[in-house]
Amino acid sequence: MRLTIKHIVTAVILLLGAAGYANAQAQPETPTDRPAPAVLVADDIEVTRDRRLIARGNVEAFQGTTRLSAQSIEYNGDTGALTITGPIVIDDGAGIVILASQAELSEDLQNGLLTGARLVLNDQVQLASVQMNRVGGRYIQLYKTAVTSCRICENDTRPPLWQIRAKRVVHDREARQLYFDGAQIRVRNTPIIYLPRLRLPDPTLDRASGFLFPEIRSNSRLGNGLAVPYFIKIGDHRDLTLIPYLTGKTRTLEFRYRQAFERGRIIIQGAYSDDDLQPDDKRGYLFAAGEFALNRGFVLEFDLESVSDDAYLNDYGFFGKDRLDSTIQVSRTRRDEFIQLSYVNFKSLRDDEDDDLLPSDVVDVLYERRFHPSLIGGEIRLSAEAHGHERPSNVNFDANGDGIVDGRDVLRFNFEAEWLRTYQLGGLQVQTDLGIAGDIIRVSDDITFDEDNGLAPKVGVTLRYPLVRRGNNGVRQFFEPLVQLSWVGGDGLNVPNEESTRVEFDEGNLLSLSRFPAPDRRERGWAVAYGGTWARLDPNGWSATITAAQVLREEAQADFNDTSGLSGTASDFLLAGKLEFEGGFAMSGRTLFNESFDVAKAEVRGDWSNTRVDVGGSYVWISEDTDIDLPSPIGEVTFDGSYKIDRFWTASANWRYDLEEGRAATAGAGIAYSNECVRVGLSINRSFADSTTLEPSTSLGLTVSLRGFSVNTGDRVETRSCGKRAK
């Protein structure tokens, strides 16, 4: 009997055949034991008298999640065997694809022999072999195999960038592992490493225990060495990475432990070293961080930091910190409520700082609540804050007796209530702020201060008159003049300035009734803040924003230092702006200057970003100010950027230059090659730090990762094309 159909015909055939039906009659099965029926699609289907099914032309067969396509399939109902003529494609629907020229398979496609076969895993790794066996649907054995994730083009006789040659490769589908016998790792067909046994995870596996690719490190102080990471999968929700790092001058073990919980996560990382830089000491560091969701919407966060000595982090290039801050915090954020309790411990790694004289232990408690009363309108804000910091020293005066306090401790309580409301009078917007604050501050271990408290009523009225002009092509211009009249009453407290030593004057606090960063002190008396903002917004061209402002006072505020820009009865002029162009260039800046155009502070940042270039640079200037222990100015220029040379090569560089010292502080450069099968990175970094604990050092790094067997970073991957180069 012969059936010929011009178009694609779907024939639902139980590939178990009549024999399978007879077995079902003789031995009952449950529905779950019975294999799923197959679906066969072909241009031409023939069923012979001896119960052979022959399908030809654009043949496709479906068995569960497995899909097979071939030129022809012959099914023997007596033996349950499938004889398949290629080209053959078998896709299991889980990232495993088999390509072959000929095949002899069982009726469920789980066992059999394939010749001229290739195994493709997750569209990344290809395993080409002379012969392939499928065993039990779980194992695939490949003989005389070449493995690579590089793209291989037809009629291209050049070897891939890298490949692994092996006598035999076994793929365990359930464990998702690849086992190699007699493996050679080759670069451009040149053997560089021979391994009798090798195990690698297949690309469909997210996490598996095993070695990661090593990193070559070279440091001018530590010497040349190799870091070999080993990843340990402890479970589905936790893992451990160990990184032995060995040179002629150090024996170091780095580690990282991660664990995810139902309501949180933790990460612990650190290192332990025995080196020649400090041969009599065991050195190391330990950092731990975590976050957990507690009951009633509270969140617990912690970040603990510890190091054996001040120079360790810099010597090994782990972090750029010169102060450690260990924090434990519990907080809750709701629409109209905020609660926070935190503890911070500081440890300085700087030469010129003594931990006994620093406020090492800091505790803060903050509660904020807001209401929207319908009777009076507007918004009512209530807040209460408690703060305490303590120095380890209990000495009132230093050994020289010059009046400098060594052990001062401070405890303060602050309460504040304010009512805010906005009125619209035509185009004029009026914002009012009416409130009162209470402060209680207690000072100990300082005989020059004791305790003080007071109330500070406050009122402020802000007037704005925004103006908008619309032009052609969607261009809009915006100008908003503003002025604020404010008053804060009460007398200043006779307490030391412990928290508000660094004051910034910018657009963010222009309209604040107190511009001190902490409520240990407040601005007092009458003040007027005035200024304006102009903006040009063009969706197809350049856009700009400029803000200019100044603050005038009835009385000068004694606790504002010169570089804050707020000292005297008239503040410095604040000028800030931002400029953006369609081509990806943007520049922003801010400066403070007085009537004589003497600049107290200035900062400028520029960035240029497009498909090939990502460059940024900044300039910072702060004039000298003895009130904040700044005997000389600070001037610094920084640069960082990358340039995409072509689709595969990327160069990067960074540089920080100290204008006052007249030398570079840090510098670095790198180049990386990346395509669909490999990423190679070479970097060099130089630190010019020079002190009693930190010395200049140069480090080199070389990293290699093979696509398909390395961690997926989420970066965009460029694939080499066959024939003409893709644009």
Side-chain angles (χ1 to χ4, degrees):
M1 179 174 61
R2 186 179 183 82
L3 301 176
T4 303
I5 304 175
K6 294 182 179 180
H7 304 288
I8 295 179
V9 178
T10 302
V12 180
I13 306 293
L14 291 178
L15 290 183
L16 297 177
Y21 176 77
N23 291 336
Q25 296 294 326
Q27 184 177 356
E29 296 177 340
T30 63
T32 56
D33 294 332
R34 192 173 299 168
V39 178
L40 184 66
V41 180
D43 292 338
D44 183 87
I45 298 176
E46 177 184 358
V47 180
T48 64
R49 294 181 181 275
D50 56 353
R51 292 169 48 193
R52 290 178 179 269
L53 184 146
I54 302 174
R56 303 182 183 89
N58 299 318
V59 181
E60 292 192 8
F62 304 88
Q63 175 75 33
T65 60
T66 303
R67 175 177 179 175
L68 181 149
S69 62
Q71 186 60 33
S72 67
I73 295 179
E74 180 178 337
Y75 171 66
N76 189 326
D78 294 332
T79 62
L82 291 170
T83 302
I84 308 171
T85 302
I88 303 168
V89 179
I90 303 175
D91 188 344
D92 74 343
I96 300 176
V97 178
I98 298 175
L99 310 175
S101 56
Q102 298 288 331
E104 295 282 344
L105 297 176
S106 61
E107 60 191 4
D108 58 1
L109 309 178
Q110 301 301 306
N111 297 277
L113 175 67
L114 301 94
T115 58
R118 280 195 300 157
L119 177 64
V120 181
L121 303 176
N122 207 35
D123 288 332
Q124 289 183 291
V125 178
Q126 304 179 52
L127 299 90
S129 66
V130 175
Q131 179 179 306
M132 178 190 299
N133 289 339
R134 298 198 72 180
V135 181
R138 173 174 177 175
Y139 299 101
I140 299 177
Q141 300 184 71
L142 303 99
Y143 299 92
K144 296 182 179 181
T145 307
V147 181
T148 185
S149 60
C150 299
R151 183 169 186 178
I152 301 175
C153 302
E154 295 182 5
N155 303 322
D156 189 354
T157 59
R158 295 177 302 173
L161 291 178
W162 69 267
Q163 59 178 312
I164 303 175
R165 291 287 186 94
K167 295 180 180 178
R168 186 181 72 145
V169 179
V170 177
H171 177 241
D172 187 335
R173 180 178 174 181
E174 290 187 9
R176 291 188 284 183
Q177 298 285 330
L178 292 168
Y179 300 92
F180 296 76
D181 292 338
Q184 287 184 356
I185 299 178
R186 299 187 177 190
V187 176
R188 283 298 188 191
N189 213 27
T190 301
I192 58 172
I193 299 176
Y194 174 78
L195 299 169
R197 296 288 186 272
L198 176 64
R199 177 182 62 84
L200 292 173
D202 79 25
T204 64
L205 185 61
D206 294 330
R207 300 164 67 247
S209 298
F211 285 100
L212 305 179
F213 278 89
E215 178 183 358
I216 299 175
R217 301 179 185 176
S218 177
N219 185 284
S220 59
R221 304 195 66 211
L222 298 173
N224 303 323
L226 188 68
V228 184
Y230 187 81
F231 180 83
I232 304 172
K233 178 186 175 182
I234 303 176
D236 292 337
H237 307 292
R238 53 182 174 170
D239 57 59
L240 174 66
T241 303
L242 301 176
I243 309 175
Y245 171 44
L246 302 176
T247 74
K249 297 182 178 180
T250 182
R251 292 149 299 282
T252 297
L253 177 63
E254 304 170 29
F255 61 89
R256 184 194 67 184
Y257 176 80
R258 301 183 301 177
Q259 183 168 356
F261 301 88
E262 183 178 356
R263 305 186 67 177
R265 60 184 181 272
I266 62 171
I267 177 171
I268 303 173
Q269 57 185 337
Y272 176 81
S273 298
D274 182 5
D275 58 36
D276 295 345
L277 302 182
Q278 296 185 22
D280 297 330
D281 299 325
K282 303 301 181 183
R283 312 179 68 194
Y285 84 95
L286 180 66
F287 285 8
E291 180 179 359
F292 291 89
L294 307 179
N295 295 330
R296 299 181 179 273
F298 285 94
V299 176
L300 169 65
E301 299 171 277
F302 64 87
D303 181 7
L304 309 179
E305 301 175 347
S306 178
V307 67
S308 61
D309 57 85
D310 294 350
Y312 183 74
L313 298 180
N314 182 78
D315 287 344
Y316 286 82
F318 289 130
F319 300 94
K321 286 193 167 188
D322 57 4
R323 283 192 183 124
L324 303 182
D325 52 332
S326 297
T327 306
I328 300 177
Q329 175 179 291
V330 177
S331 63
R332 183 177 72 182
T333 303
R334 292 179 173 176
R335 183 180 183 275
D336 294 316
E337 182 187 59
F338 178 72
I339 302 174
Q340 178 180 288
L341 170 63
S342 66
Y343 166 78
V344 183
N345 175 265
F346 290 99
K347 174 179 173 53
S348 177
L349 306 180
R350 300 181 180 182
D351 290 341
D352 57 350
E353 292 182 343
D354 185 352
D355 286 331
D356 287 342
L357 310 183
L358 295 177
S360 302
D361 297 303
V362 181
V363 177
D364 281 288
V365 181
L366 176 61
Y367 178 79
E368 295 180 346
R369 184 69 184 268
R370 65 179 185 176
F371 304 89
H372 303 275
S374 57
L375 182 61
I376 59 175
E379 178 181 312
I380 294 178
R381 296 180 182 177
L382 303 177
S383 65
E385 180 178 0
H387 168 89
H389 61 259
E390 183 180 30
R391 291 175 171 84
S393 173
N394 294 321
V395 179
N396 271 297
F397 295 94
D398 67 357
N400 297 324
D402 57 7
I404 299 177
V405 176
D406 287 345
R408 179 191 297 136
D409 304 323
V410 176
L411 178 64
R412 64 171 171 84
F413 299 92
N414 306 98
F415 310 92
E416 189 167 345
E418 57 182 339
W419 173 52
L420 301 94
R421 186 166 183 179
T422 300
Y423 303 89
Q424 197 72 34
L425 305 176
L428 180 66
Q429 186 182 82
V430 181
Q431 296 173 308
T432 60
D433 186 347
L434 179 64
I436 187 170
D439 307 305
I440 302 174
I441 300 181
R442 181 181 181 275
V443 181
S444 58
D445 288 337
D446 185 350
I447 61 174
T448 58
F449 298 96
D450 186 12
E451 180 178 338
D452 205 349
N453 56 76
L455 295 176
K458 61 180 182 177
V459 60
V461 178
T462 304
L463 306 178
R464 302 172 182 263
Y465 199 87
L467 302 170
V468 178
R469 184 172 70 180
R470 304 180 186 275
N472 298 328
N473 301 322
V475 178
R476 292 182 300 164
Q477 294 191 51
F478 171 85
F479 178 66
E480 183 185 64
L482 60 86
V483 61
Q484 181 195 66
L485 176 64
S486 63
W487 173 81
V488 178
D491 298 325
L493 304 184
N494 183 29
V495 293
N497 187 358
E498 288 280 273
E499 302 174 68
S500 298
T501 57
R502 302 294 190 270
V503 180
E504 297 291 337
F505 177 35
D506 54 31
E507 310 94 301
N509 61 14
L510 172 62
L511 300 178
S512 298
L513 301 189
S514 180
R515 295 168 186 86
F516 287 105
D520 61 335
R521 51 219 330 100
R522 301 181 186 275
E523 295 185 45
R524 309 283 177 169
W526 290 93
V528 175
Y530 70 95
T533 298
W534 172 84
R536 181 185 188 272
L537 306 176
D538 186 353
N540 302 313
W542 62 275
S543 300
T545 303
I546 298 176
T547 299
Q550 189 184 31
V551 178
L552 305 176
R553 291 188 187 81
E554 179 186 19
E555 298 178 0
Q557 306 295 303
D559 293 312
F560 283 136
N561 53 283
D562 292 337
T563 54
S564 69
L566 293 167
S567 61
T569 57
S571 75
D572 288 350
F573 292 99
L574 167 65
L575 182 63
K578 184 176 183 180
L579 185 63
E580 294 179 320
F581 291 92
E582 188 179 6
F585 178 78
M587 178 175 289
S588 60
R590 180 184 296 109
T591 185
L592 297 173
F593 59 90
N594 59 18
E595 293 84 351
S596 302
F597 293 97
D598 296 326
V599 176
K601 293 180 182 178
E603 58 179 328
V604 179
R605 173 73 187 183
D607 294 280
W608 181 32
S609 179
N610 56 34
T611 56
R612 301 192 67 174
V613 178
D614 189 358
V615 178
S618 63
Y619 166 78
V620 176
W621 165 265
I622 303 177
S623 63
E624 66 275 5
D625 190 346
T626 56
D627 291 338
I628 57 173
D629 297 326
L630 192 62
S632 60
I634 294 177
E636 186 175 274
V637 176
T638 62
F639 167 84
D640 57 87
S642 63
Y643 175 71
K644 197 170 182 62
I645 302 172
D646 57 24
R647 294 190 305 150
F648 308 111
W649 289 94
T650 302
S652 61
N654 64 84
W655 178 64
R656 185 164 63 92
Y657 188 83
D658 191 329
L659 296 173
E660 292 304 307
E661 294 290 337
R663 63 174 176 83
T666 60
I671 189 167
Y673 176 85
S674 178
N675 63 15
E676 79 283 356
C677 64
V678 67
R679 187 186 188 281
V680 181
L682 176 64
S683 63
I684 179 171
N685 292 280
R686 173 70 174 172
S687 173
F688 298 90
D690 190 6
S691 66
T692 58
T693 58
L694 305 181
E695 296 184 11
S697 63
T698 302
S699 60
L700 293 170
L702 174 63
T703 58
V704 179
S705 59
L706 305 182
R707 303 283 186 184
F709 297 113
S710 302
V711 176
N712 182 13
T713 62
D715 297 336
R716 182 175 181 266
V717 178
E718 292 286 354
T719 303
R720 294 172 299 150
S721 59
C722 297
K724 295 183 179 180
R725 180 176 175 177
K727 296 182 180 180

